[in-house]
Amino acid sequence: MKSGFVSILGRPNAGKSTLLNQLIGAKIAIVANKPQTTRTSIQGVLTLPDAQIVFLDTPGIHKADSLLTKRMMDTVRAALGERDLLLLVVDVSRKFGVEDRHAIDLIRKADTPTLLLLNKVDLLHKDKGALLPLIEQYRALHDFAGYIPISARSGDGVAELRQAIIERLPEGPAYFPPDHITDQPDRFLAAELIREKILQATREEVPHSVAVSVESWEDTPQLIRIYATIYVERSGQKGIIIGAGGAMLKNIGTLARHEMERLFGRHVYLDLHIKVQPNWRQKAGFLAALDWRTMAGADEN
Ligand SMILES: Nc1nc2c(ncn2[C@@H]2O[C@H](COP(=O)(O)OP(=O)(O)O)[C@@H](O)[C@H]2O)c(=O)[nH]1
Ligand SMILES: [Mg+2]
């Protein structure tokens, strides 16, 4: 038996959360083409007959400008310690930038073997030759343990990646029972699915200003009844999310509910409210209440 701890790192939108879902084979991390989609670290456990891999998905490496984004970068740094292997995910369709350099600096300091994952190769179409100069560019910056082209979205290269990870893990026990796939409580997963639908439907500053909290969760024999609050920072944002005649909010609720029903295998009744909470990204108490690790009553679920 082999087992170990593997962190997934990279700049925003590189495809880290898409990769985690693909590796685990279940949607446990939300995905959107917006920065700050992942705001906290997300554990995903893959159990195979001869190996168990404990993955940690992280917020994108970026320059922090609010208390929220500073907390996000603390999460990234915490994910660098005491790992067996790191995965640095880069988007091959984007030019190398300051955030990529920053990511490499962090990895150098961690002094842990790192696989470079060249993600979104599906966007290169037939131009696979474009990968070689990119690999050379990264090789010149850091001595990676391997260079693996993948498409996190289509799953191309992911089986090879899994094998490459297992080869580098030490002998060890399974740390979790085989049916454990994440440490996130169901009510947090539900809140995240609502946030994902909002991120996918909005633009500019709205995605950054949205937080979602599940206020109440009732299990009945027929269904799960979920009451959630969407927080925004300004009343204009509230109007955007409600949409003309409430159409946007209705659509967000329907999409989120369908995904919850798939995830929990139950019927869901979902009740959504919107509140304006100016400047919440700078408020420590509010941030603590949002994170399931620190929120009040976290051990109820
Ligand atoms: N074309 C393509 N898009 C991808 C791939 N992986 C992720 N994406 C998209 O990139 C965006 C960011 O993905 P996400 O997983 O949230 O990135 P993260 O911020 O690194 O966690 C989403 O729109 C994904 O659908 C891929 O392999 N190919
Ligand atoms: Mg993410």
Side-chain angles (χ1 to χ4, degrees), residues 13 15-18 29-32 36-39 42 57-60:
N13 280 323
K16 300 175 292 299
S17 299
T18 308
I30 62 166
V31 167
Q36 296 189 24
T37 302
T38 308
R39 286 182 176 157
I42 295 175
D57 179 23
T58 62

Side-chain angles (χ1 to χ4, degrees), residues 48-237:
L48 300 166
D50 53 354
Q52 186 173 71
I53 316 171
V54 184
F55 291 102
L56 202 63
D57 179 23
T58 62
I61 294 169
H62 66 290
K63 221 168 146 256
D65 57 1
S66 66
L67 185 60
L68 171 65
T69 52
K70 284 189 189 98
R71 292 276 164 84
M72 285 161 57
M73 281 306 296
D74 290 343
T75 308
V76 173
R77 280 183 284 269
L80 288 163
E82 297 183 22
R83 301 282 123 179
D84 296 295
L85 186 69
L86 304 177
L87 307 177
L88 177 61
V89 184
V90 299
D91 177 344
V92 297
S93 71
R94 287 188 60 176
K95 281 221 170 65
F96 187 89
V98 258
E99 284 165 324
D100 296 293
R101 181 167 293 276
H102 189 30
I104 289 177
D105 287 344
L106 282 173
I107 275 165
R108 274 223 196 93
K109 277 185 212 137
D111 197 25
T112 303
T114 304
L115 295 175
L116 183 78
L117 307 184
L118 301 129
N119 189 31
K120 309 198 187 181
V121 289
D122 54 295
L123 296 176
L124 295 178
H125 305 289
K126 294 197 165 54
D127 191 18
K128 292 271 150 58
L131 282 178
L132 288 173
L134 206 58
I135 291 175
E136 286 317 313
Q137 188 181 8
Y138 277 98
R139 200 197 300 277
L141 291 168
H142 184 68
D143 185 19
F144 288 92
Y147 303 81
I148 306 178
I150 59 165
S151 169
R153 188 186 274 176
S154 77
D156 253 15
V158 172
E160 292 84 341
L161 168 61
R162 237 183 243 127
Q163 239 9 77
I165 294 168
I166 293 168
E167 277 166 24
R168 286 172 178 81
L169 292 186
E171 303 275 325
Y175 296 100
F176 296 96
D179 61 347
H180 174 99
I181 62 163
T182 185
D183 57 354
Q184 303 170 89
D186 286 348
R187 54 196 295 162
F188 182 78
L189 286 167
E192 286 286 272
L193 286 173
I194 298 163
R195 195 163 64 84
E196 179 187 65
K197 300 310 165 204
I198 300 169
L199 296 192
Q200 290 173 348
T202 58
R203 289 178 298 136
E204 286 157 20
E205 97 285 20
V206 181
H208 295 280
S209 299
V210 169
V212 179
S213 164
V214 166
E215 312 295 348
S216 126
W217 175 293
E218 292 164 29
D219 267 304
T220 74
Q222 292 77 32
L223 49 69
I224 310 171
R225 211 174 264 128
I226 299 171
Y227 297 85
T229 303
I230 298 166
Y231 292 96
V232 291
E233 293 187 301
R234 284 193 293 282
S235 58
Q237 297 168 338

